[in-house]
Amino acid sequence: MKKIYLLNSCLSFCCLFLVFPPKASASSGLDLDVKGSVSTAYDDNVTFVKEDKKSDNVTNLLIGLGAQHEGKTYQLNVEGNLTQHLFADNPSFNNNSQDVSIDLKKELSRYDRFSATNKFTHAEDPQSFEDDFGRTSGRYSYYRNTFNTEYTRDLSKHVSIQGHYGNESYSTSREDIRDSLLNRAGFDVNYIKSSATAFSLGYDFTTRHIDESGTATVHTLAAGFKHFLTTQLYIDTRAGVSLVEAFDGSNASKPSVTVALTDDFNETDSASLSWRKTSTPSSFTADIFDSWRVALSLSRQLLERLKMTASVFFGEGDFAALGITDRQTGASARLSYEVTKNAQTFLAYTYSEVDSNIDTRGYDRNLVEVGVRVVF
């Protein structure tokens, strides 16, 4: 895994060089934000297990730094956070989590654009319902680094081509979960019929290698369609077929479908509903994860200073070779109140449940958190 971290560091450096060439203008500004937060949370299942659950009160102390640099042809955002988690009843669970993200957008010319993102996470709790979907149960720390880059060239007013490459490395503190490395590359041809309608046709090649367990590959050919039903409501679909070669050498053809409906009410409010069906090599075990999922998200400014975000998730997935079926259910809501321009209080609740035909993989969890966040 050290090799891929080094590779991503080199790629990120090259991306920064594209943004800050030797003759870059000195007049472009750099904005820095320092943030901190203190929260307390009640977690009724800190061990992520079905039987003999442990509950605890957890204090979370976060400090973060963000930097934004913008010029005439580029935009760069860098953010990093350190969080100390202190457990009142189980001090052996005390841990420190870190996350760093880099997001770059660059116009190389009138017809050429480039973007790159890199996100590193080290934590013991899943960061999202998607992160928890298909995960091996139990409490353990993990490292995940995800890198993606895209290059787009406009061939005409209506046609463009886009190439992309990405990789993901994943490792955990558990000896029974092997380190894995995913590489993904592909291209899309996009046709903009009008301001309301666009089509695409693309190919993706994905390969995942798991230490001491071999390699799986997926070839996906898919077509896409995006259409604005109104000025703010649009549907985005992509459907095709995946040719999957599993870790054991078996081959199969699987559908690959994504349908998303998004409504951007205004600058602060939005809602999105999506459904996905995919067959991908698992990060957690040497198997293909055949799954479908439904996700709903909502962001709403209730009052001038009061904001609400909420999400609902449901998914079902099968590990074909292992004969495991997991069902993931999740719901979360968060209220944040702006006390001053730089400070806000928040109250959040998360419910997650995993149901599996393997009894030891299932669990349910309730998490309530209240805290204060300050940005300087």
Side-chain angles (χ1 to χ4, degrees), residues 175-296:
E175 294 184 359
D176 61 325
I177 303 177
R178 302 297 182 185
D179 295 353
S180 69
L181 173 63
L182 177 143
N183 282 281
R184 177 174 175 262
F187 67 89
D188 284 287
V189 179
N190 304 302
Y191 172 68
I192 301 175
K193 181 180 179 181
S194 66
S195 60
T197 306
F199 301 91
S200 66
L201 179 65
Y203 164 77
D204 280 295
F205 171 72
T206 302
T207 176
R208 183 180 290 278
H209 176 77
I210 295 183
D211 289 355
E212 301 179 20
S213 299
T215 302
T217 60
V218 180
H219 300 265
T220 301
L221 182 64
F225 170 71
K226 183 176 182 179
H227 180 67
F228 280 84
L229 304 173
T230 69
T231 56
Q232 64 187 43
L233 176 66
Y234 63 91
I235 185 171
D236 199 351
T237 68
R238 190 174 178 88
V241 61
S242 294
L243 305 178
V244 182
E245 182 179 350
F247 292 93
D248 61 5
S250 61
N251 292 274
S253 299
K254 304 283 187 177
S256 176
V257 183
T258 300
V259 181
L261 184 66
T262 303
D263 196 335
D264 295 321
F265 304 114
N266 51 51
E267 293 183 355
T268 59
D269 301 339
S270 65
S272 178
L273 174 64
S274 65
W275 179 82
R276 292 177 58 201
K277 183 174 179 61
T278 58
S279 296
T280 58
S282 171
S283 305
F284 314 103
T285 186
D287 206 343
I288 302 299
F289 191 51
D290 297 323
S291 65
W292 63 267
R293 68 208 72 181
V294 177
L296 172 66

Side-chain angles (χ1 to χ4, degrees), residues 9-28:
S9 297
C10 293
L11 290 172
S12 298
F13 177 80
C14 293
C15 294
L16 294 178
F17 183 79
L18 288 172
V19 175
F20 301 110
K23 59 181 181 180
S25 171
S27 62
S28 56

Side-chain angles (χ1 to χ4, degrees), residues 331-352:
S332 67
R334 180 186 176 99
L335 290 172
S336 57
Y337 181 78
E338 190 177 284
V339 180
T340 67
K341 182 180 179 180
N342 298 323
Q344 64 177 225
T345 60
F346 61 87
L347 172 64
Y349 169 73
T350 301
Y351 171 77
S352 56

Side-chain angles (χ1 to χ4, degrees), residues 144-175:
R144 187 191 297 273
N145 193 89
T146 305
F147 174 81
N148 287 291
T149 183
E150 291 183 353
Y151 168 76
T152 303
R153 178 169 179 82
D154 296 329
L155 301 179
S156 69
K157 182 179 179 180
H158 296 281
V159 180
S160 66
I161 57 172
Q162 181 185 78
H164 57 261
Y165 167 76
N167 60 56
E168 177 195 84
S169 57
Y170 182 81
S171 62
T172 77
S173 59
R174 287 178 49 163
E175 294 184 359

